[in-house]
Amino acid sequence: MSLGLLLVQGLNGLQFGVLLFLVAAGLTLVFGVMDFINLAHGVQYMLGAYFGASLAAWTGSFWLGLALALPAALVCGLVLEWLVFRHLYERDHLSQVLATFGVILFLNQAVRAIWGSAPLQMPVPALLEGGVTLMPGLQYPVYRIAILAAGLAVAGLLWLLVERTRIGALVRAGATHAPMVAALGVDIRGLFMLVFGFGAMLAGFAGVMAAPILSVDPGMGDTVLILAFVVIVIGGIGSVRGAFIAALLVGVIETLGRSLLPDLLRLVMAASPARQAGAALGSMLVYIAMALILAVRPRGLFPVRG
Amino acid sequence: MAEPLLAVAGLRKRFGGLAVTDDVTFSVAEGGIHAVIGPNGAGKTTLIHQLSGTLRPDAGSIRFGGRELVGMGLARRARLGLARSFQITSVLAGFSALENAALAVQARSGPSFRFFRAAAAERALNDQAMTALEQVGLGARAGVLAGRLSHGEKRQLELAIALAMQPRLLLLDEPLAGAGPEETERLIGILLGLKGTYTILLVEHDMQAVFALADRISVLVYGRVIATDGPEAIRADPAVRAAYLGEDEAA
Amino acid sequence: MRAALILLAALAAAPFLGFGEGYSLTLLARVMILAMAAVSLWLLVGGGGMVSLGHAALLGIGAYAVVVLDDARITDAAVVVPVAMGAAGLFALVTGAVAIRTSGVQFIMITLAFGQMAFFTASSLAAYGGDDGYTLYGRTTVLGQRWLEDRLAFHYLCLGLLALTLFGGHVLLGSRFGRVLRAARENPLRAEAVGFRPYPYQLVAYSIAGAVAGLTGVLLANAAEFVAPSYLAWQRSGDLLFMVILGGLGSLQGAVLGAVAFVLLEEWLGHITEHWRLIFGPLLVLSVLFMKGGLVGMLRRG
């Protein structure tokens, strides 16, 4: 195992973590502000990828695809909010879980019916093709660095929005004292919709960004959803800061675990069992980390509500 | 002199900059009713939480029957014989009145990791539960789902559950809360009936009830105990009159 | 319990009422196995107030126990059943020890995450077919006899175990243990105030439900003579949760009603269109929004 490999996988992990953050941020905000658990949030990520890939193919441009996919994801999110989710805010979490599960079944199948089961491709834009040399003989794709940069930029923007603006103040207040905020005459429904649409768009953005490097297929939202849950549980439900740190942590552990553990185990056992045990252990690592963190801090790293 | 049943010493709890329990010290001797009174915001609820184990004090000690309670949870304290009733009725609405009380009997009658025999058919549990219900005058309503009882009856059941625990100390958190004049009359009657048998720490808002029931009274103001004495002495205490009755002449 | 007893009687008579051929028996076995799984999940959700979204993993662990033993040529129920129940129960104990420290939404998410962990682990087991799954050499034997090869015998085994699970669940909920569990579901603070810390009771209930799910997994593996990681997929946990809610949390038999309704609905829609989930998903949403109390609630209201 070389230093170069470690560097590449570390960067991959951070980049995956940034994508996870974009999905988890919406999830944790929606939960924090509305006390609403939305399993269908992963579907927003999938829809973003599908919209991006097909719109890019249609217009012939990655950038047009991206520019058109974002409003499309937003509209989808708002339609779902209007049609289904707003009827669930007052219901218990069990009902929310089941109803949004139904939405997933529908949308995953709809995607299959429209685009087929085969994975879609989305080309990397010409501007971001090629690689940069990290070390002599070691190239790293520009596009992946662009994802990292874009994700960090959005995270920064989100921080400014939540910490430094009036709307952000309302969101923070809404997370802890929703009835109070409503009593002060703030249109809480409007605030909910805003947060919801924003979260949907963030997830859609992550989907578009991921499309050129991951396979765009009907189940892609579910995997990300569950990891995003792990992220917000570790980070502390409702905390954007916690989600950011936990997302990077989960991204790095997941990526490094899966790629390095088989190699590491080969140091102490034979090649074939090492590969098997490494693969099994690597896929368990994130969840073991979650269990350990929760064993010490049951409410996550940055608990919001007391 | 023998150690008192409950001895609270130097209890403190702060929320942010506000001392809600400020060096509270008092003790409750075996037998009779000891009341804690105080105007709204005096820290009665916070004190109850610390005594029953749902809130951890910042400093101080709570000794009960010779054991230190600080650090123990609600369930441990209950098993040691400290039964609390809730100000906001919290009976199990989906259980019958009898089963509510039987659950409390079960907690002190052998292990509950028993998986086969029907608990509802255990005579020993039901008989004791029934006794507790009868003590508060709910015997005729044993089979009714707790959720269907009237407000006053739920207050009575709340009391019956605590009695079913056969506690060494009954910690009653505003047992008269929300009760109408007639219900209050009945509940006071029930409490008087219990007086000879149980040691009771009564935290109550209703002055009339407190002076009718209590043998000793501690007055809590702004998180501090300003006086502990018999009812007559408390009534006459100028500090109490100034701090408490002066604010709340209607009572 | 009346509706459930009628259903069990109908299932017992079904092979002689024109549902005795292969396809019908396969479908009925699926109904009974899922009903058993739903009953074990009901014990958690309806009995203990623990909304688990990782129940399929427990079934899958039971099924994979069959696989691992089958690969080692151990097929007798005397070994397979205890190993499967023990493995699933142990997994439930360990993951439950973490999950039950939390509650509400966190509990849902954590059980989901542990389920996904089991799913990925199963996918990475190259020796047992990885993603493609594993075909058993044969069904589990009983005392060395290949009785379960007989479809009718398997039908009645499933029925017998379903009845036993239902009865066992009923007894459990009525016991001292079940009483504490139900009290903790309704009001954990009240349970504590009389002296019961809910945690150990919930953890034991979670492990018991896990062991029962493991047993169900053995049946699941035997029904298809095939096991794949998709058995552990989180969507299956969602399906099971839906069965429980569809039937209703008001009574244990709801789980059986829910499972029957679920499988029949799925089967019927599947005949109409390949994209049956396009109809199933919205139906699920509508049933959550408008059908409070589930099927049991509807029956009670008459």
Side-chain angles (χ1 to χ4, degrees):
Chain A
M1 187 191 354
S2 69
L3 186 65
L5 182 65
L6 199 65
L7 189 63
V8 166
Q9 294 296 358
L11 279 172
N12 282 349
L14 285 178
Q15 167 233 312
F16 184 50
V18 159
L19 288 178
L20 276 180
F21 169 69
L22 292 180
V23 178
L27 206 57
T28 204
L29 275 178
V30 164
F31 185 80
V33 178
M34 309 176 205
D35 196 25
F36 176 57
I37 171 169
N38 179 16
L39 295 188
H41 194 69
V43 169
Q44 291 291 341
Y45 167 84
M46 173 186 72
L47 287 179
Y50 269 95
F51 288 147
S54 43
L55 288 168
W58 183 58
T59 59
S61 153
F62 172 90
W63 301 108
L64 270 177
L66 175 64
L68 291 173
L70 291 184
L74 176 67
V75 168
C76 271
L78 292 180
V79 167
L80 282 176
E81 202 272 350
W82 178 73
L83 209 57
V84 183
F85 300 153
R86 67 170 46 182
H87 309 291
L88 294 165
Y89 294 152
E90 306 295 319
R91 302 287 297 273
D92 60 3
H93 291 139
L94 180 55
S95 302
Q96 296 173 353
V97 162
L98 278 174
T100 54
F101 177 61
V103 171
I104 295 186
L105 291 182
F106 175 79
L107 284 175
N108 279 355
Q109 195 63 39
V111 162
R112 266 197 196 92
I114 297 169
W115 282 284
S117 293
L120 248 54
Q121 299 293 328
M122 184 173 178
V124 172
L127 185 66
L128 302 174
E129 267 176 4
V132 283
T133 308
L134 293 180
M135 290 188 336
L138 186 69
Q139 291 254 317
Y140 194 74
V142 173
Y143 185 73
R144 283 177 176 268
I145 292 179
I147 291 183
L148 196 54
L152 290 177
V154 172
L157 204 67
L158 195 62
W159 181 81
L160 276 180
L161 217 56
V162 173
E163 297 292 328
R164 290 282 183 270
T165 66
R166 190 182 126 73
I167 288 183
L170 284 178
V171 166
R172 276 179 290 134
T176 41
H177 321 283
M180 190 51 151
V181 173
L184 291 175
V186 175
D187 174 9
I188 204 93
R189 286 263 153 176
L191 183 69
F192 279 13
M193 243 177 125
L194 191 80
V195 172
F196 201 91
F198 190 66
M201 210 161 69
L202 280 183
F205 177 64
V208 183
M209 297 300 286
I213 51 168
L214 297 172
S215 85
V216 180
D217 61 47
M220 68 184 289
D222 300 352
T223 317
V224 164
L225 170 81
I226 294 167
L227 281 178
F229 274 155
V230 172
V231 164
I232 68 176
V233 166
I234 291 180
I237 295 177
S239 161
V240 175
R241 183 171 54 142
F244 182 70
I245 290 167
L248 294 186
L249 202 65
V250 167
V252 169
I253 292 177
E254 171 83 359
T255 310
L256 285 186
R258 280 180 191 268
S259 60
L260 298 186
L261 262 183
D263 288 343
L264 274 179
L265 286 180
R266 207 176 308 171
L267 300 177
V268 292
M269 55 170 85
S272 166
R275 197 167 50 242
Q276 283 219 19
L281 206 59
S283 51
M284 292 166 77
L285 214 54
V286 168
Y287 306 99
I288 295 172
M290 175 188 78
L292 289 178
I293 288 172
L294 288 178
V296 185
R297 305 191 65 142
R299 304 181 58 83
L301 295 174
F302 298 93
V304 167
R305 273 173 261 194
Chain B
M1 199 180 118
E3 188 175 2
L5 181 59
L6 180 77
V8 179
L11 206 63
R12 288 174 196 276
K13 182 76 198 174
R14 301 178 76 87
F15 289 127
L18 189 66
V20 191
T21 305
D22 192 2
D23 197 14
V24 165
T25 302
F26 68 94
S27 58
V28 178
E30 201 110 27
I33 295 183
H34 187 125
V36 173
I37 61 171
N40 274 330
K44 298 193 296 285
T45 305
T46 315
L47 180 63
I48 282 259
H49 277 305
Q50 292 171 90
L51 294 180
S52 64
T54 41
L55 195 66
R56 211 191 155 92
D58 298 331
S61 92
I62 305 167
R63 292 188 67 79
F64 176 66
R67 298 184 66 159
E68 178 59 53
L69 292 187
V70 172
M72 274 184 205
L74 178 60
R76 280 278 307 280
R77 296 185 196 198
R79 284 179 177 266
L80 286 178
L82 181 68
R84 82 165 277 191
S85 76
F86 291 90
Q87 182 182 351
I88 297 163
T89 306
S90 68
V91 297
L92 299 164
F95 282 30
S96 69
L98 185 72
E99 198 176 10
N100 265 285
L103 178 75
V105 178
Q106 185 183 316
R108 55 173 174 79
S109 314
S112 279
F113 281 99
R114 289 192 189 159
F115 303 93
F116 301 107
R117 187 168 165 212
E122 288 195 45
R123 277 284 298 279
L125 298 187
N126 290 345
D127 289 350
Q128 295 179 66
M130 200 62 200
T131 308
L133 289 180
E134 276 161 1
Q135 273 179 294
V136 301
L138 266 187
R141 307 282 280 161
V144 181
L145 279 186
R148 301 243 166 98
L149 296 174
S150 73
H151 177 81
E153 286 174 331
K154 281 181 186 156
R155 302 302 308 166
Q156 284 164 266
L157 179 56
E158 185 79 36
L159 212 50
I161 294 171
L163 294 180
M165 294 165 70
Q166 284 191 352
R168 296 180 65 191
L169 177 67
L170 265 173
L171 183 55
L172 302 182
D173 186 5
E174 303 209 11
L176 305 178
E182 222 171 288
E183 288 168 340
T184 302
E185 207 55 43
R186 188 164 71 231
L187 284 163
I188 290 179
I190 294 167
L191 291 175
L192 274 174
L194 299 177
K195 203 171 164 176
T197 335
Y198 294 93
T199 309
I200 298 176
L201 180 62
L202 173 70
V203 175
E204 184 49 66
H205 213 68
D206 187 322
M207 282 304 123
Q208 229 176 330
V210 167
F211 282 102
L213 287 166
D215 303 303
R216 282 178 78 75
I217 297 175
S218 292
V219 183
L220 198 64
V221 178
Y222 296 126
R224 292 179 148 271
V225 174
I226 60 166
T228 297
D229 217 326
E232 289 318 311
I234 287 290
R235 228 194 274 271
D237 189 317
V240 174
R241 295 188 78 88
Y244 188 84
L245 299 176
E247 288 176 21
D248 196 0
E249 230 119 26
Chain C
M1 291 302 275
R2 192 149 15 108
L5 287 177
I6 294 170
L7 257 173
L8 290 180
L11 284 166
F16 305 104
L17 299 175
F19 297 97
E21 82 281 17
Y23 175 76
S24 303
L25 284 181
T26 306
L27 184 66
L28 290 178
R30 190 173 141 70
V31 167
M32 290 184 286
I33 293 170
L34 287 178
M36 224 173 117
V39 169
S40 66
L41 180 58
W42 195 101
L43 288 176
L44 295 179
V45 182
M50 296 176 273
V51 179
S52 164
L53 202 44
H55 207 63
L58 299 169
L59 259 75
I61 287 169
Y64 266 92
V66 178
V67 166
V68 172
L69 292 172
D70 183 82
D71 192 55
R73 299 294 187 277
I74 299 169
T75 58
D76 202 85
V79 180
V80 171
V81 169
V83 168
M85 292 181 76
L90 189 67
F91 183 81
L93 181 72
V94 172
T95 57
V98 175
I100 297 169
R101 280 166 59 92
T102 68
S103 61
V105 170
Q106 269 180 309
F107 183 82
I108 298 174
M109 292 183 189
I110 293 167
T111 50
L112 175 63
F114 281 130
Q116 193 74 351
M117 174 177 91
F119 169 77
F120 279 129
T121 308
S123 307
S124 72
L125 296 174
Y128 305 112
D131 277 327
D132 299 326
Y134 178 97
T135 304
L136 300 180
Y137 286 99
R139 287 195 170 175
T140 301
T141 53
V142 182
L143 303 172
Q145 305 295 312
R146 305 172 70 100
W147 286 328
L148 301 192
E149 305 279 339
D150 180 67
R151 287 178 160 277
L152 216 51
F154 189 67
H155 178 85
Y156 286 106
L157 175 70
C158 290
L159 182 63
L161 286 178
L162 172 60
L164 191 67
T165 307
L166 201 55
F167 178 71
H170 189 71
V171 167
L172 184 77
L173 287 170
S175 71
R176 280 186 168 209
F177 174 82
R179 178 184 265 170
V180 177
L181 195 64
R182 286 181 288 123
R185 174 184 110 89
E186 262 207 46
N187 187 342
L189 194 61
R190 164 49 74 199
E192 285 211 45
V194 298
F196 294 111
R197 212 160 59 84
Y199 184 85
Y201 295 90
Q202 290 172 333
L203 186 55
V204 168
Y206 197 69
S207 309
I208 291 175
V212 174
L215 175 63
T216 314
V218 174
L219 292 180
L220 200 61
N222 272 284
E225 296 181 35
F226 172 76
V227 177
S230 65
Y231 285 27
L232 291 82
W234 76 278
Q235 288 91 342
R236 289 218 174 205
S237 300
D239 288 346
L240 288 172
L241 202 52
F242 180 43
M243 290 172 210
V244 166
I245 303 308
L246 182 64
L249 288 176
S251 115
L252 185 61
Q253 60 174 337
V256 181
L257 298 189
V260 172
F262 180 95
V263 175
L264 293 183
L265 186 65
E266 190 186 65
E267 192 64 20
W268 176 58
L269 290 177
H271 278 299
I272 298 176
T273 164
E274 167 201 357
H275 297 300
W276 58 273
R277 285 198 188 86
L278 287 181
I279 308 169
F280 194 77
L283 277 181
L284 203 169
V285 175
L286 290 174
S287 72
V288 170
L289 287 179
F290 298 111
M291 220 177 73
K292 290 175 190 166
L295 292 170
V296 170
M298 284 169 70
L299 284 178
R300 282 199 181 141
R301 284 190 293 271

